[in-house]
């Protein structure tokens, strides 16, 4: 099963992660897998892709990039893994056969990591029973959490950047928006005790999907 996806730039390529422990790069135009980026040996629950800044030396490819890979140079890849590890990879370059990455760090947590995302100059990763504001994008990146910003008995299932903050959903039906330097929280209610698996946003609207079979829409005109 494919557990998460990430879009590269405008979407000619996408990344996926799955229960077989791999992260793969796909060519949408040909519906083909261009290569395996990572093989972790454990299910990869979440994947996020970001852009490296100029302070990071990514090296150079030994061969010309594949013409089917678009916008994949200079990317940072974050993998949230079932084996309680969080991987950060940096792109060194491309070859026609595979997307060449080097591992920057491998952070070991206390529980499985369910999701991850990029926000400003920090990475966020969600696990049970907490989620972390961690692994700041300095050079070299940190190998330990900067701050635990939330803790509860329920696993964090989804993290989504939103304006100046982010949205988090949990396995107990809790879903909330954190804004303004983590000091303002807005709860999205109605899911009761069923897990909220995923959150999406469009302009001033937020959508959640829940185990109770309901997709909910929230209008956030005042936020």
């Amino acid at each position: 099963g494919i557990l998460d996806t990430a879009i590269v730039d405008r979407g000619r390529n996408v990344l996926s992660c799955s229960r077989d422990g791999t992260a793969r790069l796909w060519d949408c135009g040909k519906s083909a897998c261009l290569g395996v980026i990572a093989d972790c040996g454990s299910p990869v629950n979440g994947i996020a892709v970001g852009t490296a800044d100029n302070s990071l030396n990514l090296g150079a490819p030994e061969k010309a990039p594949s013409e089917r890979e678009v916008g994949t140079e200079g990317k940072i890849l974050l993998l949230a893994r079932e084996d309680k590890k969080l991987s950060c990879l940096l792109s060194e370059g491309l070859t026609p056969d595979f997307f060449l990455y080097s591992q920057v760090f491998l952070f070991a947590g206390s529980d499985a990591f369910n999701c991850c995302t990029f926000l400003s100059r920090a990475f966020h990763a969600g696990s049970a029973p907490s989620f972390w504001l961690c692994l700041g994008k300095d050079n070299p990146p940190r190998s330990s959490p900067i701050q635990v910003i939330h803790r509860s008995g329920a696993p964090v299932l989804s993290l989504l950047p939103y304006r100046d903050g982010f949205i988090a959903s949990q396995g107990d039906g809790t879903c909330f928006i954190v804004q303004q330097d983590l000091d303002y929280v807005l709860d999205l209610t109605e899911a009761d005790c069923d897990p909220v698996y995923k959150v999406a946003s469009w302009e001033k609207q937020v959508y959640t999907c829940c185990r109770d079979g309901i997709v909910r829409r929230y209008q956030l005109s005042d936020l």
Side-chain angles (χ1 to χ4, degrees):
I2 294 177
L3 302 178
D4 198 12
T5 58
I7 297 175
V8 180
D9 287 348
R10 299 180 65 180
R12 288 185 61 178
N13 296 136
V14 297
L15 297 159
S16 70
C17 61
S18 65
R19 295 188 196 278
D20 67 2
T22 64
R24 299 172 185 263
L25 179 69
W26 298 86
D27 176 11
C28 294
K30 289 191 173 182
S31 301
C33 179
L34 295 176
V36 175
I37 297 171
D39 191 347
C40 301
S42 174
V44 182
N45 297 320
I47 187 169
V49 62
T51 302
D53 58 35
N54 295 330
S55 65
L56 297 174
N57 181 13
L58 303 180
E62 296 179 357
K63 299 179 181 180
S66 166
E67 63 179 12
R68 304 304 301 180
E69 298 174 3
V70 181
T72 51
E73 301 92 343
K75 292 296 190 291
I76 306 174
L77 189 66
L78 202 60
L79 302 176
R81 296 163 44 172
E82 185 68 22
D83 61 0
K84 305 179 183 180
K85 295 177 181 178
L86 190 69
S87 303
C88 181
L89 309 176
L90 286 177
S91 171
E92 293 178 330
L94 302 171
T95 74
D97 298 322
F98 62 92
F99 201 17
L100 182 61
Y101 269 90
S102 64
Q103 183 164 279
V104 178
F105 58 78
L106 183 65
F107 173 72
S110 58
D111 291 280
F113 285 99
N114 300 317
C115 53
C116 54
T117 191
F118 289 91
L119 178 66
S120 184
R121 291 192 58 80
F123 307 131
H124 282 55
S127 63
S130 61
F131 67 83
W132 311 79
L133 169 62
C134 65
L135 309 173
K137 289 167 60 179
D138 46 9
N139 189 17
R142 297 175 185 268
S143 58
S144 60
I146 298 172
Q147 181 184 5
V148 177
I149 55 178
H150 177 75
R151 188 179 296 274
S152 73
V156 180
L157 302 179
S158 177
L159 287 169
L160 175 72
Y162 188 75
R163 301 192 183 178
D164 296 328
F166 59 90
I167 307 174
S169 68
Q170 296 185 266
D172 61 357
T174 305
C175 188
F176 53 92
I177 303 174
V178 178
Q179 292 285 312
Q180 299 176 4
D181 297 325
L182 311 180
D183 61 0
Y184 178 75
V185 177
L186 178 65
D187 289 319
L188 304 180
T189 61
E190 299 297 329
D192 199 11
C193 296
D194 288 302
V196 178
Y197 291 122
K198 198 74 174 179
V199 182
S201 66
W202 182 68
E203 295 183 348
K204 294 183 178 181
Q205 299 176 89
V206 171
Y207 297 83
T208 63
C209 61
C210 183
R211 189 180 179 182
D212 61 11
I214 298 175
V215 176
R216 294 176 171 87
R217 177 171 62 92
Y218 299 85
Q219 183 73 32
L220 302 176
S221 57
D222 297 329
L223 184 62

